[in-house]
Amino acid sequence: MDYKKRNESSAKPKSTKGWILVKSKLPEIGCNVLMYHEIETVEEGISPFIEIGYLSQATNEEHITDLEWRDNEHNRLSSPVYWMPLPKLPVLSPTE
C-alpha cells in the first residue's frame, strides 16, 4: 500500500453516524452546518479538518448560479466530504 492510500484510509472518520455525504445530499442554503474536509499537504499527507460553515448561492458574470461553501467569516472553501446539522442550543433554566 502506498503512502497516500494509507493516509487516505486513516483520515476517513471511523464512523459516519450523523455525517451526510455531500455527494448524496446538500444542506439548506445559508444554514450553518458542521463540515468535514480532508486537507492534503506534502509534509503531513491527508489530514481531517472540521469547521462550521454554510452553503451559499453565487451568480457569476454570465448569470449562472453556482453553489459555494463558505466559513463563518464568509471565506470561500473547497467542498467538504461530509456535513452534519449543528445540534440545537441548550435551553437554560432561569436559575442558571
Side-chain angles (χ1 to χ4, degrees), residues 15-27 33-36 69 80-85:
S15 168
T16 57
K17 184 177 181 178
W19 289 98
I20 301 164
L21 188 62
V22 168
K23 291 179 182 178
S24 65
K25 183 179 176 185
L26 295 174
V33 296
L34 197 57
M35 302 179 296
Y36 172 88
W69 291 93
V81 179
Y82 294 96
W83 67 275
M84 83 167 37

Side-chain angles (χ1 to χ4, degrees), residues 19 34-37 48-52:
W19 289 98
L34 197 57
M35 302 179 296
Y36 172 88
H37 297 270
F49 184 72
I50 296 174
E51 67 183 316
I52 295 173

Side-chain angles (χ1 to χ4, degrees), residues 36-87:
Y36 172 88
H37 297 270
E38 292 177 339
I39 311 250
E40 185 171 12
T41 62
V42 174
E43 300 83 27
E44 297 180 20
I46 296 175
S47 300
F49 184 72
I50 296 174
E51 67 183 316
I52 295 173
Y54 62 95
L55 187 62
S56 70
Q57 287 183 330
T59 304
N60 64 21
E61 294 170 359
E62 291 85 31
H63 303 288
I64 297 171
T65 301
D66 290 324
L67 296 177
E68 298 178 342
W69 291 93
R70 298 199 174 254
D71 64 15
N72 278 343
E73 295 174 354
H74 312 292
N75 298 312
R76 191 173 180 190
L77 303 169
S78 62
S79 181
V81 179
Y82 294 96
W83 67 275
M84 83 167 37
L86 293 174

